[in-house]
Amino acid sequence: MLVLLAACEPRSSPVPEARADEPRVAPATPGADGVAVVELFTSEGCSSCPPADDVLAAIAGTSTGKAVFPLAFHVDYWDELGWPDRFASPANTARQRAYGRSFGARGMYTPQMVVDGTEEFTGSDRSHADAAVAGALARPAAARLSVVVRRREPESVVVDWSCSGAAPGSTLNVAVVQDEATTSVRAGENAGRVLHHLDVVRSFASLRLGAAAGSMTLASPSDLRGAAGQVVAFVQRPPSPSGGMPIDGAAAVPLPE
């Protein structure tokens, strides 16, 4: 039986070996542990963003053994200003816009970091990021999430999930993530720079939790397999009166071959 009990395992934790035709599943961790989902809204066309990319990389590098899940969402509203970001998408911009509404913000900016759906700040602020991650890990995760990932076709994966303890109206979010990428930027504010990215969201889908278990299919680039990427899933509540959309549990597992 392949099971992951949630508030789960970060990318850096060991994963059981699996054949190419086997589903991928992360090992179980105690459900009482806190999780820190760190979302960075960034763009290759923004000169203020590389320092925030570095902060996200630093968080990933110091999260060994901790349930920390960094996610870089590249937004597309910089694309018309000189450099089209190959990782940007309208869906990423829509997610940032949803956060803006939940925080009562009048507009959007980059780089913006959001930790556990409830704390937003300038993404290059390392001290704020470290404090926010520590605070998120100190809060026990309310939801328990089980995730198994299997490849369906060369460009898609199936995510089988089960969840308990989710608040009414919660959403399950699932991201296909590329662990590393490098871009030589030839125009725009970062022209002439080589940018290094970690944890780039390549595909993202959400569903409203109305059952205890289910499956969903996500697009996954055919060249993104195994150790080069992962699937990150997390349970998120509706907008809170105090601001943001709290995250109650998370899990990660490497992509199948």
Side-chain angles (χ1 to χ4, degrees):
M1 184 176 181
L2 295 172
V3 179
L4 164 87
L5 292 177
C8 317
E9 199 67 17
R11 178 192 58 194
S12 54
S13 298
V15 177
E17 292 184 0
R19 301 191 312 269
D21 59 344
E22 288 183 330
R24 302 306 297 267
V25 56
T29 58
D33 287 357
V35 301
V37 176
V38 183
E39 300 175 73
L40 175 65
F41 295 95
T42 185
S43 172
E44 291 182 344
C46 165
S47 61
S48 299
C49 286
D53 294 337
D54 292 342
V55 169
L56 193 71
I59 290 171
T62 58
S63 63
T64 301
K66 301 176 183 177
V68 178
F69 306 88
L71 298 170
F73 288 89
H74 289 231
V75 297
D76 67 347
Y77 50 84
W78 280 89
D79 285 4
E80 297 180 359
L81 300 177
W83 178 252
D85 186 335
R86 63 192 173 118
F87 299 120
S89 75
N92 293 347
T93 301
R95 179 156 180 80
Q96 187 183 24
R97 185 176 294 113
Y99 268 128
R101 289 193 297 267
S102 72
F103 288 119
R106 294 184 178 181
M108 299 186 295
Y109 68 94
T110 56
Q112 181 186 33
M113 189 168 283
V114 181
V115 175
D116 260 13
T118 56
E119 190 165 352
E120 72 87 17
F121 50 92
T122 301
S124 54
D125 188 338
R126 175 67 189 276
S127 61
H128 197 154
D130 287 343
V133 168
L137 292 175
R139 296 187 293 271
R144 296 173 65 86
L145 181 64
S146 169
V147 177
V148 177
V149 180
R150 49 196 167 89
R151 189 164 294 281
R152 181 174 183 177
E153 296 175 351
E155 296 189 352
S156 67
V157 293
V158 176
V159 180
D160 300 317
W161 59 270
S162 63
C163 183
S164 64
S170 290
T171 296
L172 176 66
N173 300 308
V174 183
V176 172
V177 181
Q178 182 171 335
D179 286 344
E180 298 183 54
T182 300
T183 301
S184 296
V185 180
R186 298 186 300 274
E189 291 189 0
N190 288 314
R193 301 185 65 175
V194 177
L195 302 182
H196 302 282
H197 308 302
L198 295 183
D199 304 296
V200 180
V201 174
R202 300 295 306 275
S203 178
F204 189 79
S206 301
L207 62 81
R208 183 66 61 88
L209 287 173
S215 295
M216 58 194 304
T217 301
L218 276 79
S220 179
S222 59
D223 60 345
L224 186 59
R225 292 173 175 267
Q230 59 180 321
V231 170
V232 176
F234 55 99
V235 178
Q236 189 162 33
R237 279 183 263 162
S240 166
S242 59
M245 297 179 286
I247 292 172
D248 287 335
V253 62
L255 281 167
E257 295 295 338

